[in-house]
Amino acid sequence: MSFSTSLSKALNTCSVIMMVSGNAVLRTQSPLLYTDDSTAATIGALGSAVVFPGLIFIFAPIIVLIYPELEDDTKNITNTFLITVMPIPVSAAAGAIGAAILKIGDISAGNAARAGAVGGSVFLAAELVGIILLLWAVVVSDAWDSRYEMAEDKNSTLI
């Protein structure tokens, strides 16, 4: 399996997860405006299959021509933006395009875009919580290691 195929499947899966989660959240507030999970998954899958090639067409020249010229700090900011913020508009576009093409269920393209954006926001929040927990675990493990080393040093001097 090639890298592009793996990347395409991963992005498609993320879009489906975002569309289903956003649809589920919004369906609790307005059950008549949103659809069931299987239809939301279908909309997300079809929309992402259309949106991601377009994104590659738009961003590939930018990445090839401009990205190598950027300084390291600017590259870090660009990477952070692409990883954290881009899922929201991308999943909104995937929802709107998927709903406009399929025209199934009780969901309009506008509501599908809202569901995709909410799902992208949920995905972003989960990502940030995961990063915070990972950083906390690193800090705690460093503190634990230093306490353990101090205890070893005290034991070795007593003998």
Side-chain angles (χ1 to χ4, degrees), residues 149-159:
E149 289 171 2
M150 288 178 13
E152 278 185 346
D153 290 343
K154 286 181 182 179
N155 289 337
S156 64
T157 57
L158 293 176
I159 296 178

Side-chain angles (χ1 to χ4, degrees), residues 40-127:
T42 306
I43 289 170
L46 178 64
S48 67
V50 173
V51 168
F52 289 123
L55 285 176
I56 291 170
F57 181 73
I58 292 169
F59 282 110
I62 295 171
I63 291 171
V64 170
L65 298 175
I66 297 172
Y67 193 77
E69 303 296 324
L70 297 176
E71 296 178 16
D72 288 339
D73 291 340
T74 310
K75 284 181 183 178
N76 291 339
I77 293 169
T78 305
N79 290 342
T80 303
F81 172 76
L82 290 175
I83 290 170
T84 57
V85 178
M86 282 302 289
I88 297 170
V90 168
S91 58
I97 290 171
I101 292 172
L102 286 178
K103 296 181 183 169
I104 59 173
D106 298 331
I107 191 166
S108 67
N111 288 340
R114 278 188 211 94
V118 168
S121 300
V122 168
F123 194 76
L124 174 62
E127 181 180 9

